[in-house]
Amino acid sequence: MALPLKTSLLPPDAPEARSCTCLRVRADLPPAITLSDGCLMVAPGLESISGSGSVEEWRIDGSCRVGRAGRVHLLEHADVLFAAWHQPDDPLADNAHRAYLDLFQAIRARGFPHPIRIWNYFSRIHGDECGLERYQSFCIGRGKALDELGVTEESMPAATAIGTRAAGLFVYLIATRNPGQAIENPRQVSAYRYPEQYSPESPAFARATRIETDLGPQLLLSGTASITGHESRHIGDCAAQTREILANLDALHATAGRDVPPPAWLRVYLRRPEDQPEVAAILARHYPRPPALHWVYGDVCRRELLVEIEGVHARIA
């Protein structure tokens, strides 16, 4: 069934939509989740670069039901469920475990057992927790929850995990009644097949998820970095890393099908904000019709990686 799901990047001062159900994600606001009639607002502690603030919006026309399930905020439409969770991020493994249990139990209880996109944000991604890097601890907590829930890594959707400078763990998602199509990249080892050298528990996500909507196919891109096979490429060279990312994104587009439109919007996470002009020039050369861009500060999951890009291929209404 085609989903009535639309997405776009809006200016920060865009008014709230009326007579619809929407998930909005804001940078440059104090970390929080707010839930009102028709709108789930998530401010996960992101920081825009150079005044490039944007509002990420996912919208469905029609009425919705607002609810809570313990720590989980829920906004339910007949066809799509938005869910968000926010608690302290220490200890991270325990709280990642709790977040995934809470979220998956909540969406299953409401008849939306299939997440099609997940975002994860937390502080000090490269810090230490019990002798492990905190990103590894996050993967362990998430993996434990998925095992308890009976969720296979291969069935997970597109996802992002980025380190912020704001305290707290934010996990939020879009869920549907039927699964999307997981898309893997022929240039990369699937994340859930990474060797143990990266983490005692492999990451759990698809490289992208394809869904069918009223406006045609959408391709939901995971956070994508300069990795081929399972190895980081072009250490210390942000320009070369960006070009490698674009090769990965092109491969995902080709794998998903050429009926998928070009990217509608991209979010670019930069470890070093001063790299923005160089990365912007590369993106402008690569895309004949440039997508909308949101530039944010963010720590990528591997220390040596300087840039990561996520986004959506979609037709804009």
Side-chain angles (χ1 to χ4, degrees):
M1 184 188 76
L3 297 169
L5 184 63
K6 305 177 182 67
T7 183
S8 57
L9 282 184
L10 304 173
D13 57 354
E16 286 194 16
R18 302 293 180 185
S19 301
C20 73
T21 303
C22 70
L23 167 67
R24 283 189 163 190
V25 182
R26 290 285 306 261
D28 308 316
L29 291 178
I33 296 172
T34 57
L35 188 58
S36 60
D37 289 345
C39 186
L40 174 59
M41 181 74 75
V42 181
L46 294 175
E47 302 172 60
S48 297
I49 295 172
S50 301
S52 67
S54 295
V55 178
E56 171 192 345
E57 183 178 83
W58 300 83
R59 186 178 74 257
I60 310 167
D61 294 334
S63 61
C64 63
R65 184 170 66 178
V66 174
R68 291 284 297 271
R71 302 175 181 88
V72 180
H73 297 74
L74 297 160
L75 191 63
E76 181 179 342
H77 181 272
D79 301 304
V80 176
L81 179 67
F82 301 125
W85 188 101
H86 171 219
Q87 290 291 309
D89 50 3
D90 294 323
L92 187 56
D94 291 345
N95 285 340
H97 172 249
R98 185 75 262 161
Y100 271 77
L101 285 180
D102 288 349
L103 283 161
F104 274 71
Q105 289 167 351
I107 64 177
R108 287 175 172 181
R110 281 155 181 79
F112 296 85
H114 302 288
I116 58 171
R117 186 62 166 90
I118 303 178
W119 291 263
N120 309 273
Y121 297 102
F122 51 91
S123 66
R124 309 187 320 278
I125 195 168
H126 301 303
D128 177 82
E129 183 172 297
C130 301
L132 293 173
E133 196 168 69
R134 279 167 58 79
Y135 178 64
Q136 296 174 328
S137 291
F138 169 80
C139 289
I140 289 171
R142 173 175 57 185
K144 180 182 177 184
L146 297 179
D147 286 344
E148 293 173 11
L149 292 160
V151 178
T152 64
E153 293 168 322
E154 294 88 345
S155 68
M156 288 291 283
T160 296
I162 286 288
T164 68
R165 291 186 285 192
L169 170 62
F170 282 84
V171 185
Y172 56 96
L173 58 80
I174 304 172
T176 54
R177 299 190 186 279
N178 299 302
Q181 178 187 357
I183 304 296
E184 291 300 313
N185 186 348
R187 305 180 80 243
Q188 296 178 305
V189 173
S190 296
Y192 45 81
R193 303 285 187 217
Y194 278 174
E196 196 171 333
Q197 70 194 68
Y198 299 106
S199 176
E201 179 73 35
S202 293
F205 64 91
R207 299 295 182 182
T209 303
R210 175 177 167 144
I211 60 172
E212 307 305 319
T213 78
D214 290 348
L215 296 178
Q218 284 186 13
L219 186 63
L220 316 181
L221 301 169
S222 290
T224 302
S226 178
I227 296 171
T228 60
H230 58 76
E231 297 178 335
S232 301
R233 304 296 183 186
H234 315 296
I235 307 305
D237 187 336
C238 189
Q241 288 189 20
T242 303
R243 288 189 288 269
E244 197 71 70
I245 290 170
L246 292 173
N248 282 329
L249 296 181
D250 288 347
L252 284 169
H253 190 184
T255 303
R258 286 300 175 183
D259 59 330
V260 174
W265 61 263
L266 300 172
R267 177 176 289 118
V268 185
Y269 300 96
L270 293 176
R271 188 181 295 275
R272 305 182 309 206
E274 62 268 24
D275 289 328
Q276 182 190 12
E278 185 173 44
V279 174
I282 294 168
L283 293 176
R285 289 193 295 269
H286 187 78
Y287 291 111
R289 300 178 65 180
L293 297 173
H294 184 203
W295 301 87
V296 297
Y297 168 85
D299 286 331
V300 185
C301 62
R302 298 184 187 179
R303 292 176 184 269
E304 67 273 17
L305 297 176
L306 304 174
V307 56
E308 181 168 309
I309 299 176
E310 67 174 33
V312 185
H313 288 244
R315 292 183 178 87
I316 301 298

